[in-house]
């Protein structure tokens, strides 16, 4: 019956494209989480009045984050072509999309991390200081645990953005469902291929949102 409704869909090709999208999304989300967390912590901790308050350093980090966060993703891919070729060796395939995905998403998540940390009650931090907690203990036993629900919510939003980024990356040869929808669907006028590819991207997004919501709810003790 599926062959009747979707006559132009090659199911083995669709499965491979889905695997590529999941691969690109999963790897980039993991690296984005740690890189974005580090950048977000740096933004927060170097801001005036915090543990490592340094206005100059904070301004430098903020400029870097703002610049890469503001560049449209499709342009970022083009700008990073030399860098991607240097570390990956090619501009084609799922692995070639990873540098642009990470560079595009990490600054976005970093701002979410910073916002989450700013929501923490200052009294909690001051209490930890008064009990003799070191900076490392404040970061890993106060700041991160207190902001965990917001961090999970933020990485959920970022992961969904990354799925859409993989679709855009597919247009320039990165593979995945975006590439399938464009090359086999749009270019060859196969509307059924475009439709089923889009539907699978939506399913991935809905699953990510559902998982993120469940984890956030479980972690939020308020």
């Amino acid at each position: 019956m599926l062959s009747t409704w979707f006559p132009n869909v090659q199911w083995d090709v669709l499965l491979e494209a889905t695997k590529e999208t999941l691969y690109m999304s999963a790897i980039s989300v993991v690296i984005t989480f740690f890189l974005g967390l580090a950048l977000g912590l740096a933004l927060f901790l170097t801001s005036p009045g915090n543990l490592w308050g340094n206005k100059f350093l904070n301004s430098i980090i903020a400029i870097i984050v703002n610049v890469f966060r503001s560049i449209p993703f499709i342009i970022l891919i083009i700008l990073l072509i030399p860098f991607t070729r240097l570390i990956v060796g090619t501009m084609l395939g799922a692995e070639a999309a990873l540098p642009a995905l990470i560079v595009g998403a990490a600054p976005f998540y970093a701002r979410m991390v910073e916002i989450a940390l700013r929501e923490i009650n200052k009294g909690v931090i001051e209490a930890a200081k008064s009990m003799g907690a070191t900076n490392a203990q404040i970061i890993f036993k106060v700041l991160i645990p207190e902001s965990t629900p917001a961090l999970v919510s933020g990485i959920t939003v970022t992961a969904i953005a990354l799925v859409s980024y993989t679709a855009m990356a597919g247009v320039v040869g990165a593979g995945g469902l975006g590439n399938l929808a464009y090359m086999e669907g749009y270019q060859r006028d196969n509307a059924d291929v475009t439709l089923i590819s889009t539907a699978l991207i939506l399913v991935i997004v809905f699953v990510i949102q559902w998982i993120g919501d469940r984890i956030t709810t479980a972690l939020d003790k308020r």
Side-chain angles (χ1 to χ4, degrees):
M1 184 174 291
L2 286 176
S3 298
T4 303
W5 290 349
F6 306 104
N8 300 301
V9 176
Q10 300 178 50
W11 298 101
D12 56 334
V13 175
L14 181 68
L15 177 61
E16 188 61 32
T18 303
K19 288 179 180 178
E20 288 175 347
T21 292
L22 292 174
Y23 170 78
M24 288 187 284
S25 300
I27 298 296
S28 57
V29 165
V30 171
I31 298 175
T32 292
F33 174 78
F34 289 105
L35 183 56
L37 181 61
L39 281 171
L41 279 167
L43 277 169
F44 176 75
L45 294 171
T46 59
S47 61
N50 282 309
L51 297 180
W52 301 335
N54 186 315
K55 190 173 182 180
F56 175 75
L57 184 57
N58 182 262
S59 297
I60 297 298
I61 299 171
I63 288 171
I64 293 171
V65 167
N66 289 339
V67 166
F68 284 101
R69 193 167 63 107
S70 303
I71 300 173
F73 182 70
I74 198 72
I75 296 175
L76 184 63
I77 293 175
I78 297 169
L79 291 175
L80 290 177
I81 285 175
F83 176 70
T84 302
R85 283 180 175 159
L86 178 66
I87 64 173
V88 181
T90 180
M91 266 304 296
L92 300 176
E95 289 187 357
L98 293 177
L101 290 170
I102 295 163
V103 171
F108 176 77
Y109 183 56
R111 281 298 184 188
M112 290 192 160
V113 171
E114 183 192 19
I115 292 169
L117 294 172
R118 289 189 184 280
E119 293 297 316
I120 298 173
N121 190 323
K122 292 285 186 181
V124 177
I125 301 173
E126 292 303 322
K129 285 182 181 178
S130 67
M131 289 188 289
T134 64
N135 287 348
Q137 287 174 328
I138 291 173
I139 292 169
F140 293 106
K141 294 186 177 181
V142 178
L143 294 178
I144 293 177
E146 286 291 323
S147 61
T148 297
L151 295 180
V152 173
S153 180
I155 198 61
T156 301
V157 173
T158 306
I160 290 170
L162 278 165
V163 173
S164 69
Y165 286 174
T166 66
M168 285 186 274
V171 175
V172 292
L177 292 167
N179 180 263
L180 183 68
Y182 181 72
M183 298 298 293
E184 299 295 328
Y186 175 75
Q187 292 280 36
R188 299 189 179 186
D189 199 25
N190 293 327
D192 54 341
V193 176
T194 303
L195 179 63
I196 196 70
S197 299
T198 303
L200 281 173
I201 290 173
L202 289 174
V203 168
I204 293 171
V205 167
F206 291 154
V207 169
I208 291 172
Q209 187 66 65
W210 183 83
I211 293 172
D213 289 345
R214 299 286 82 74
I215 296 174
T216 300
T217 302
L219 293 172
D220 195 345
K221 304 302 180 183
R222 290 176 297 176

